[in-house]
Amino acid sequence: MLIFENNKTLANLYQRALSLYISKEFANKAVGQVKSTEKQHSEQTFSRRELLEVEEQAKQDKIIAEHGEKHFRDQVMSVFFSKLTTEVMAEFDQKEHFYRHFLNLEDAAPTILEILSLPSASINRITPLIKLLPWLAGDLVNLVNKPQYRKRADVKVSDANLAISYVGLDNLKLIVPTFILKHTLPITTDPYPLMKRKLWNDSLSVALAAKVLAEHNELDWYSAFAAAILSNIGYLAVITCFLSKFNEMHNAELRQAYESRDKRLHDLLVQAEISPQLLLKMMTEHSSKVGADLIELMRFDRLEVTEPVFDLAYASELQKMSPVAQVVAKARTYVAYRSLAREDLIDKNEAKALLTAVNFSPKEIALLKKSDIDHIKLNFN
Protein backbone atom coordinates (compact mmCIF):
# COMPACT_ATOMS: atom_id res chain seq x y z
CA MET A 1 0.00 0.00 0.00
CA LEU A 2 1.32 3.41 -0.98
CA ILE A 3 0.50 4.95 2.40
CA PHE A 4 3.34 2.91 3.89
CA GLU A 5 5.89 3.45 1.13
CA ASN A 6 6.53 7.11 1.97
CA ASN A 7 7.55 6.30 5.55
CA LYS A 8 10.71 4.22 5.97
CA THR A 9 9.69 2.72 9.33
CA LEU A 10 6.24 1.73 8.09
CA ALA A 11 7.62 0.44 4.79
CA ASN A 12 10.07 -1.79 6.67
CA LEU A 13 7.33 -3.14 8.92
CA TYR A 14 4.97 -3.93 6.06
CA GLN A 15 7.80 -5.53 4.10
CA ARG A 16 8.64 -7.58 7.19
CA ALA A 17 5.04 -8.82 7.32
CA LEU A 18 5.20 -9.81 3.65
CA SER A 19 8.48 -11.62 4.37
CA LEU A 20 6.55 -14.00 6.62
CA TYR A 21 4.74 -15.33 3.54
CA ILE A 22 8.09 -16.56 2.26
CA SER A 23 9.37 -18.01 5.53
CA LYS A 24 9.88 -17.22 9.21
CA GLU A 25 13.64 -17.57 8.74
CA PHE A 26 13.65 -15.01 5.95
CA ALA A 27 11.59 -12.58 8.06
CA ASN A 28 14.01 -13.05 10.95
CA LYS A 29 16.89 -12.06 8.71
CA ALA A 30 15.04 -8.87 7.81
CA VAL A 31 15.29 -7.76 11.44
CA GLY A 32 18.75 -9.16 12.09
CA GLN A 33 17.68 -12.13 14.19
CA VAL A 34 19.99 -14.55 12.44
CA LYS A 35 21.64 -16.97 14.83
CA SER A 36 25.38 -16.71 14.41
CA THR A 37 27.43 -19.89 14.45
CA GLU A 38 30.90 -20.10 15.82
CA LYS A 39 33.69 -20.60 13.35
CA GLN A 40 35.01 -24.08 13.78
CA HIS A 41 38.50 -23.45 12.47
CA SER A 42 39.63 -20.11 13.82
CA GLU A 43 43.23 -18.93 13.94
CA GLN A 44 43.38 -19.80 17.65
CA THR A 45 42.55 -23.41 16.87
CA PHE A 46 45.72 -23.71 14.88
CA SER A 47 47.88 -21.50 17.07
CA ARG A 48 49.34 -24.51 18.88
CA ARG A 49 50.97 -25.99 15.81
CA GLU A 50 52.74 -24.76 12.74
CA LEU A 51 51.15 -25.55 9.41
CA LEU A 52 53.40 -27.35 7.00
CA GLU A 53 54.19 -25.38 3.88
CA VAL A 54 52.29 -27.82 1.69
CA GLU A 55 49.21 -27.53 3.90
CA GLU A 56 49.36 -23.77 3.77
CA GLN A 57 49.62 -23.81 -0.02
CA ALA A 58 46.67 -26.20 -0.30
CA LYS A 59 44.65 -23.95 1.94
CA GLN A 60 45.41 -20.91 -0.20
CA ASP A 61 44.58 -22.80 -3.39
CA LYS A 62 41.23 -23.84 -1.95
CA ILE A 63 40.39 -20.25 -0.99
CA ILE A 64 41.26 -19.02 -4.48
CA ALA A 65 39.20 -21.79 -6.09
CA GLU A 66 36.20 -21.11 -3.84
CA HIS A 67 36.45 -17.39 -4.50
CA GLY A 68 36.56 -17.99 -8.23
CA GLU A 69 33.58 -20.34 -8.08
CA LYS A 70 31.59 -17.88 -5.99
CA HIS A 71 32.42 -15.07 -8.40
CA PHE A 72 31.27 -17.25 -11.32
CA ARG A 73 28.08 -18.23 -9.50
CA ASP A 74 27.28 -14.63 -8.56
CA GLN A 75 27.78 -13.49 -12.15
CA VAL A 76 25.60 -16.23 -13.62
CA MET A 77 22.76 -15.73 -11.13
CA SER A 78 22.93 -11.94 -11.45
CA VAL A 79 22.37 -12.23 -15.20
CA PHE A 80 19.64 -14.85 -14.67
CA PHE A 81 17.69 -12.78 -12.14
CA SER A 82 18.05 -9.68 -14.31
CA LYS A 83 16.45 -11.59 -17.19
CA LEU A 84 13.77 -12.94 -14.86
CA THR A 85 12.89 -9.44 -13.67
CA THR A 86 12.57 -8.24 -17.27
CA GLU A 87 10.33 -11.18 -18.19
CA VAL A 88 8.06 -10.72 -15.16
CA MET A 89 7.74 -6.97 -15.71
CA ALA A 90 6.86 -7.60 -19.37
CA GLU A 91 4.02 -9.86 -18.20
CA PHE A 92 2.70 -7.10 -15.93
CA ASP A 93 2.55 -4.73 -18.92
CA GLN A 94 0.37 -7.11 -20.95
CA LYS A 95 -2.67 -6.59 -18.76
CA GLU A 96 -5.30 -8.56 -20.70
CA HIS A 97 -2.95 -11.50 -21.30
CA PHE A 98 -1.77 -11.42 -17.68
CA TYR A 99 -5.38 -11.51 -16.46
CA ARG A 100 -6.26 -14.52 -18.60
CA HIS A 101 -3.02 -16.44 -18.08
CA PHE A 102 -2.15 -15.90 -14.41
CA LEU A 103 -5.50 -15.06 -12.79
CA ASN A 104 -7.47 -17.62 -14.80
CA LEU A 105 -10.83 -16.18 -13.74
CA GLU A 106 -13.84 -16.54 -16.03
CA ASP A 107 -16.10 -13.55 -16.77
CA ALA A 108 -19.01 -15.09 -14.86
CA ALA A 109 -17.12 -14.75 -11.55
CA PRO A 110 -17.14 -10.92 -11.27
CA THR A 111 -20.69 -10.90 -12.67
CA ILE A 112 -21.85 -13.10 -9.79
CA LEU A 113 -20.09 -10.83 -7.27
CA GLU A 114 -21.81 -7.81 -8.83
CA ILE A 115 -25.28 -9.36 -8.77
CA LEU A 116 -24.89 -10.33 -5.12
CA SER A 117 -24.47 -6.62 -4.29
CA LEU A 118 -27.84 -5.67 -5.83
CA PRO A 119 -31.17 -5.42 -3.98
CA SER A 120 -32.69 -7.36 -6.88
CA ALA A 121 -30.33 -10.32 -6.41
CA SER A 122 -32.05 -13.69 -6.39
CA ILE A 123 -31.17 -17.38 -6.47
CA ASN A 124 -32.75 -17.63 -9.92
CA ARG A 125 -30.40 -14.96 -11.31
CA ILE A 126 -27.32 -16.41 -9.64
CA THR A 127 -27.77 -20.14 -10.32
CA PRO A 128 -27.23 -20.18 -14.14
CA LEU A 129 -24.02 -18.15 -13.72
CA ILE A 130 -22.66 -20.38 -10.97
CA LYS A 131 -23.29 -23.42 -13.17
CA LEU A 132 -21.10 -21.81 -15.84
CA LEU A 133 -18.23 -22.25 -13.37
CA PRO A 134 -17.93 -26.01 -12.63
CA TRP A 135 -15.28 -25.39 -9.96
CA LEU A 136 -17.60 -23.00 -8.06
CA ALA A 137 -20.65 -25.27 -8.40
CA GLY A 138 -18.52 -28.19 -7.22
CA ASP A 139 -17.24 -26.25 -4.22
CA LEU A 140 -20.80 -25.37 -3.19
CA VAL A 141 -21.94 -29.00 -3.50
CA ASN A 142 -18.96 -30.09 -1.38
CA LEU A 143 -19.79 -27.42 1.18
CA VAL A 144 -23.39 -28.48 1.78
CA ASN A 145 -22.26 -32.09 2.11
CA LYS A 146 -19.97 -31.30 5.03
CA PRO A 147 -21.25 -32.93 8.26
CA GLN A 148 -21.94 -29.62 10.01
CA TYR A 149 -24.20 -28.41 7.17
CA ARG A 150 -26.03 -31.58 6.12
CA LYS A 151 -29.69 -31.70 7.13
CA ARG A 152 -29.65 -35.47 7.33
CA ALA A 153 -26.59 -37.66 7.73
CA ASP A 154 -27.90 -40.22 5.22
CA VAL A 155 -28.71 -37.70 2.45
CA LYS A 156 -25.99 -36.47 0.12
CA VAL A 157 -26.58 -33.54 -2.25
CA SER A 158 -25.27 -33.95 -5.80
CA ASP A 159 -27.36 -31.37 -7.66
CA ALA A 160 -25.85 -27.86 -7.94
CA ASN A 161 -29.30 -26.21 -8.10
CA LEU A 162 -30.28 -27.77 -4.80
CA ALA A 163 -26.94 -26.89 -3.19
CA ILE A 164 -27.18 -23.22 -4.26
CA SER A 165 -30.76 -22.98 -3.03
CA TYR A 166 -29.83 -24.57 0.29
CA VAL A 167 -26.88 -22.19 0.81
CA GLY A 168 -29.03 -19.08 0.20
CA LEU A 169 -28.17 -15.52 -0.80
CA ASP A 170 -26.86 -14.30 2.56
CA ASN A 171 -24.36 -17.14 2.82
CA LEU A 172 -23.40 -16.78 -0.85
CA LYS A 173 -22.19 -13.23 -0.14
CA LEU A 174 -19.56 -14.73 2.16
CA ILE A 175 -18.87 -17.94 0.29
CA VAL A 176 -18.59 -16.83 -3.35
CA PRO A 177 -15.82 -14.22 -2.80
CA THR A 178 -13.81 -16.68 -0.70
CA PHE A 179 -14.20 -19.51 -3.23
CA ILE A 180 -13.09 -17.12 -5.98
CA LEU A 181 -10.02 -16.26 -3.91
CA LYS A 182 -9.35 -19.97 -3.40
CA HIS A 183 -9.59 -20.51 -7.17
CA THR A 184 -6.96 -17.82 -7.84
CA LEU A 185 -4.42 -19.25 -5.37
CA PRO A 186 -1.19 -20.51 -6.97
CA ILE A 187 -1.30 -24.25 -7.68
CA THR A 188 2.01 -24.55 -5.86
CA THR A 189 4.31 -22.14 -4.03
CA ASP A 190 7.36 -24.42 -3.91
CA PRO A 191 10.05 -23.98 -2.63
CA TYR A 192 7.97 -22.19 0.02
CA PRO A 193 5.23 -24.77 0.68
CA LEU A 194 3.69 -22.87 3.60
CA MET A 195 3.23 -19.69 1.54
CA LYS A 196 -0.02 -20.86 -0.08
CA ARG A 197 -1.68 -21.58 3.26
CA LYS A 198 -0.44 -18.30 4.75
CA LEU A 199 -1.79 -16.34 1.79
CA TRP A 200 -5.17 -18.03 2.15
CA ASN A 201 -5.39 -17.59 5.93
CA ASP A 202 -4.32 -13.94 5.91
CA SER A 203 -6.53 -13.04 2.94
CA LEU A 204 -9.55 -14.50 4.71
CA SER A 205 -8.65 -12.70 7.95
CA VAL A 206 -8.29 -9.36 6.12
CA ALA A 207 -11.72 -9.81 4.55
CA LEU A 208 -13.41 -10.77 7.84
CA ALA A 209 -11.70 -7.89 9.66
CA ALA A 210 -12.92 -5.50 6.95
CA LYS A 211 -16.46 -6.86 7.41
CA VAL A 212 -16.31 -6.25 11.17
CA LEU A 213 -14.97 -2.71 10.74
CA ALA A 214 -17.48 -1.88 7.99
CA GLU A 215 -20.41 -2.92 10.16
CA HIS A 216 -18.94 -0.92 13.05
CA ASN A 217 -18.69 2.17 10.82
CA GLU A 218 -22.16 1.58 9.29
CA LEU A 219 -20.81 0.86 5.81
CA ASP A 220 -22.00 -1.85 3.42
CA TRP A 221 -20.24 -4.93 4.78
CA TYR A 222 -20.45 -6.87 1.51
CA SER A 223 -18.61 -4.15 -0.45
CA ALA A 224 -15.87 -4.05 2.19
CA PHE A 225 -15.64 -7.85 2.36
CA ALA A 226 -15.45 -8.23 -1.43
CA ALA A 227 -12.97 -5.35 -1.79
CA ALA A 228 -10.75 -6.88 0.90
CA ILE A 229 -10.84 -10.31 -0.75
CA LEU A 230 -10.06 -8.88 -4.17
CA SER A 231 -7.31 -6.61 -2.80
CA ASN A 232 -5.28 -9.78 -2.25
CA ILE A 233 -5.50 -10.91 -5.87
CA GLY A 234 -2.54 -8.74 -6.86
CA TYR A 235 -0.29 -10.60 -4.41
CA LEU A 236 -1.50 -13.98 -5.63
CA ALA A 237 -1.02 -13.08 -9.30
CA VAL A 238 2.46 -11.60 -8.78
CA ILE A 239 3.61 -14.65 -6.81
CA THR A 240 2.11 -17.05 -9.36
CA CYS A 241 3.78 -15.19 -12.23
CA PHE A 242 7.16 -14.94 -10.50
CA LEU A 243 7.33 -18.62 -9.51
CA SER A 244 6.05 -19.76 -12.90
CA LYS A 245 8.54 -17.63 -14.81
CA PHE A 246 11.41 -18.74 -12.59
CA ASN A 247 10.67 -22.42 -13.22
CA GLU A 248 10.18 -21.84 -16.94
CA MET A 249 13.43 -19.90 -17.37
CA HIS A 250 15.40 -22.16 -15.02
CA ASN A 251 14.40 -25.26 -16.99
CA ALA A 252 15.29 -23.54 -20.27
CA GLU A 253 18.73 -22.52 -18.97
CA LEU A 254 19.38 -26.04 -17.66
CA ARG A 255 18.43 -27.56 -20.99
CA GLN A 256 20.66 -25.15 -22.88
CA ALA A 257 23.64 -25.84 -20.59
CA TYR A 258 23.11 -29.59 -21.01
CA GLU A 259 22.87 -29.37 -24.80
CA SER A 260 26.00 -27.18 -24.85
CA ARG A 261 27.79 -29.72 -22.64
CA ASP A 262 28.73 -26.96 -20.22
CA LYS A 263 29.05 -29.12 -17.09
CA ARG A 264 30.24 -26.30 -14.85
CA LEU A 265 27.25 -24.11 -15.72
CA HIS A 266 24.83 -27.04 -15.58
CA ASP A 267 26.04 -28.09 -12.11
CA LEU A 268 25.64 -24.51 -10.88
CA LEU A 269 22.10 -24.19 -12.29
CA VAL A 270 21.05 -27.49 -10.72
CA GLN A 271 21.80 -25.95 -7.32
CA ALA A 272 20.27 -22.54 -8.15
CA GLU A 273 17.49 -21.36 -5.85
CA ILE A 274 14.79 -18.72 -6.09
CA SER A 275 15.86 -15.35 -4.70
CA PRO A 276 13.54 -14.57 -1.77
CA GLN A 277 14.80 -10.97 -1.85
CA LEU A 278 13.70 -10.55 -5.46
CA LEU A 279 10.34 -12.20 -4.78
CA LEU A 280 9.77 -9.85 -1.83
CA LYS A 281 10.74 -6.85 -3.97
CA MET A 282 8.18 -7.87 -6.60
CA MET A 283 5.47 -8.35 -3.99
CA THR A 284 6.22 -5.05 -2.27
CA GLU A 285 6.58 -2.85 -5.33
CA HIS A 286 4.04 -4.29 -7.74
CA SER A 287 1.28 -6.32 -6.06
CA SER A 288 -1.06 -3.42 -5.25
CA LYS A 289 -0.79 -1.85 -8.70
CA VAL A 290 -1.06 -5.15 -10.52
CA GLY A 291 -4.09 -5.95 -8.38
CA ALA A 292 -5.72 -2.64 -9.32
CA ASP A 293 -5.18 -3.38 -13.02
CA LEU A 294 -6.74 -6.83 -12.62
CA ILE A 295 -9.79 -5.51 -10.76
CA GLU A 296 -10.30 -2.83 -13.41
CA LEU A 297 -10.49 -5.58 -16.04
CA MET A 298 -13.34 -7.18 -14.08
CA ARG A 299 -15.39 -4.10 -15.01
CA PHE A 300 -17.56 -3.77 -11.94
CA ASP A 301 -20.38 -1.29 -12.29
CA ARG A 302 -22.38 -1.36 -9.07
CA LEU A 303 -20.19 -3.23 -6.61
CA GLU A 304 -17.92 -0.76 -4.79
CA VAL A 305 -14.60 -2.51 -5.29
CA THR A 306 -12.58 -0.86 -8.07
CA GLU A 307 -12.18 2.55 -6.39
CA PRO A 308 -11.08 1.12 -3.00
CA VAL A 309 -8.50 -1.18 -4.63
CA PHE A 310 -7.10 1.73 -6.65
CA ASP A 311 -7.00 3.85 -3.49
CA LEU A 312 -4.93 1.17 -1.75
CA ALA A 313 -2.48 1.17 -4.66
CA TYR A 314 -2.19 4.90 -5.37
CA ALA A 315 -3.49 7.04 -2.47
CA SER A 316 -0.63 8.56 -0.45
CA GLU A 317 -2.79 9.48 2.56
CA LEU A 318 -5.54 7.60 4.35
CA GLN A 319 -7.80 10.66 4.29
CA LYS A 320 -7.74 10.64 0.49
CA MET A 321 -9.18 7.12 0.37
CA SER A 322 -12.83 6.17 0.05
CA PRO A 323 -14.50 4.97 3.29
CA VAL A 324 -14.41 1.34 2.09
CA ALA A 325 -10.71 1.64 1.18
CA GLN A 326 -9.94 3.03 4.63
CA VAL A 327 -11.64 0.02 6.23
CA VAL A 328 -9.67 -2.40 4.05
CA ALA A 329 -6.42 -0.54 4.81
CA LYS A 330 -7.12 -0.90 8.52
CA ALA A 331 -7.94 -4.59 8.10
CA ARG A 332 -4.73 -5.24 6.16
CA THR A 333 -2.71 -3.33 8.75
CA TYR A 334 -4.24 -5.16 11.70
CA VAL A 335 -3.63 -8.60 10.17
CA ALA A 336 -0.02 -7.60 9.34
CA TYR A 337 0.46 -6.41 12.93
CA ARG A 338 -1.06 -9.60 14.32
CA SER A 339 1.19 -11.80 12.16
CA LEU A 340 4.30 -9.91 13.26
CA ALA A 341 3.26 -9.98 16.92
CA ARG A 342 2.70 -13.74 16.84
CA GLU A 343 6.28 -14.24 15.68
CA ASP A 344 7.79 -11.60 18.04
CA LEU A 345 8.87 -9.52 15.05
CA ILE A 346 7.47 -6.18 16.18
CA ASP A 347 8.03 -4.13 19.35
CA LYS A 348 5.57 -1.84 21.13
CA ASN A 349 6.78 1.37 19.47
CA GLU A 350 6.65 -0.20 16.02
CA ALA A 351 3.17 -1.58 16.69
CA LYS A 352 1.96 1.84 17.80
CA ALA A 353 3.43 3.49 14.70
CA LEU A 354 1.86 0.90 12.39
CA LEU A 355 -1.64 1.06 13.88
CA THR A 356 -1.57 4.85 14.25
CA ALA A 357 -0.70 5.23 10.56
CA VAL A 358 -4.22 4.10 9.60
CA ASN A 359 -5.97 6.01 12.40
CA PHE A 360 -7.03 2.95 14.37
CA SER A 361 -9.19 3.90 17.34
CA PRO A 362 -8.85 1.94 20.60
CA LYS A 363 -12.46 0.86 20.16
CA GLU A 364 -11.76 -0.61 16.71
CA ILE A 365 -8.70 -2.50 17.94
CA ALA A 366 -10.65 -3.89 20.89
CA LEU A 367 -13.45 -4.92 18.53
CA LEU A 368 -11.10 -6.84 16.25
CA LYS A 369 -9.34 -8.50 19.19
CA LYS A 370 -12.60 -9.98 20.44
CA SER A 371 -13.92 -10.88 16.95
CA ASP A 372 -13.24 -14.17 15.21
CA ILE A 373 -11.57 -13.08 11.98
CA ASP A 374 -10.19 -16.50 11.14
CA HIS A 375 -13.37 -18.47 10.44
CA ILE A 376 -16.43 -17.78 8.30
CA LYS A 377 -19.67 -18.23 10.21
CA LEU A 378 -22.49 -19.44 7.98
CA ASN A 379 -26.15 -19.43 9.02
CA PHE A 380 -28.23 -22.29 7.60
CA ASN A 381 -31.91 -22.33 8.46
Side-chain angles (χ1 to χ4, degrees), residues 7-292:
N7 183 303
K8 186 176 180 180
T9 299
L10 298 178
N12 287 339
L13 287 171
Y14 202 65
Q15 194 173 67
R16 195 184 301 168
L18 293 179
S19 299
L20 280 171
Y21 289 134
I22 297 173
S23 72
K24 171 72 186 305
E25 292 72 24
F26 181 61
N28 283 341
K29 290 180 182 178
V31 289
Q33 293 185 11
V34 189
K35 292 182 180 179
S36 59
T37 56
E38 295 182 5
K39 293 184 179 179
Q40 304 239 333
H41 302 293
S42 66
E43 290 181 3
Q44 290 181 348
T45 305
F46 297 104
S47 62
R48 299 173 194 166
R49 70 179 181 87
E50 219 174 46
L51 285 173
L52 296 174
E53 187 174 341
V54 64
E55 291 179 319
E56 183 64 30
Q57 184 62 48
K59 183 179 177 183
Q60 291 298 323
D61 290 345
K62 183 179 180 182
I63 291 172
I64 292 170
E66 288 178 350
H67 178 76
E69 196 63 26
K70 181 181 183 303
H71 180 68
F72 174 66
R73 182 173 63 250
D74 291 346
Q75 279 191 317
V76 170
M77 295 315 299
S78 177
V79 171
F80 177 84
F81 286 125
S82 178
K83 288 181 182 178
L84 176 61
T85 300
T86 300
E87 289 280 335
V88 172
M89 294 296 292
E91 291 287 352
F92 294 164
D93 291 337
Q94 302 176 63
K95 297 178 184 179
E96 290 277 359
H97 173 267
F98 187 86
Y99 182 93
R100 299 297 173 193
H101 189 66
F102 290 104
L103 197 58
N104 191 28
L105 199 59
E106 302 91 329
D107 293 338
T111 303
I112 295 169
L113 292 175
E114 180 103 317
I115 291 175
L116 285 171
S117 71
L118 305 177
S120 59
S122 67
I123 293 295
N124 289 337
R125 289 186 67 185
I126 293 290
T127 300
L129 291 168
I130 290 179
K131 293 175 73 174
L132 288 175
L133 306 174
W135 54 269
L136 179 55
D139 282 346
L140 289 170
V141 169
N142 290 336
L143 176 73
V144 300
N145 282 311
K146 288 186 175 182
Q148 63 267 41
Y149 300 130
R150 288 172 69 169
K151 289 184 176 180
R152 286 176 53 190
D154 60 337
V155 176
K156 187 173 183 179
V157 175
S158 58
D159 179 64
N161 289 29
L162 183 59
I164 295 165
S165 178
Y166 176 49
V167 171
L169 278 176
D170 289 340
N171 287 327
L172 284 172
K173 287 185 175 183
L174 287 168
I175 295 169
V176 171
T178 53
F179 280 175
I180 287 175
L181 177 73
K182 177 184 171 185
H183 185 64
T184 60
L185 284 169
I187 295 174
T188 177
T189 53
D190 287 342
Y192 309 114
L194 296 180
M195 177 184 275
K196 185 173 181 178
R197 189 177 71 187
K198 290 177 182 176
L199 285 165
W200 165 255
N201 289 341
D202 276 13
S203 297
L204 183 60
S205 293
V206 168
L208 290 172
K211 178 180 183 292
V212 170
L213 292 172
E215 291 173 328
H216 174 72
N217 289 284
E218 298 182 346
L219 299 172
D220 176 44
W221 73 260
Y222 176 66
S223 294
F225 184 81
I229 283 282
L230 295 177
S231 73
N232 291 284
I233 278 180
Y235 291 95
L236 304 182
V238 167
I239 291 167
T240 301
C241 178
F242 182 88
L243 297 178
S244 174
K245 279 292 174 182
F246 174 87
N247 290 327
E248 177 187 316
M249 291 179 61
H250 184 234
N251 289 334
E253 294 278 344
L254 272 172
R255 186 166 54 252
Q256 185 176 345
Y258 177 79
E259 291 173 352
S260 301
R261 298 184 179 181
D262 190 336
K263 186 177 184 305
R264 185 187 185 199
L265 177 59
H266 186 271
D267 290 348
L268 186 154
L269 289 170
V270 166
Q271 299 176 36
E273 297 179 346
I274 287 177
S275 167
Q277 293 84 1
L278 183 56
L279 174 55
L280 178 62
K281 178 180 170 65
M282 286 289 174
M283 291 168 61
T284 304
E285 296 182 1
H286 302 288
S287 294
S288 294
K289 293 176 182 178
V290 167

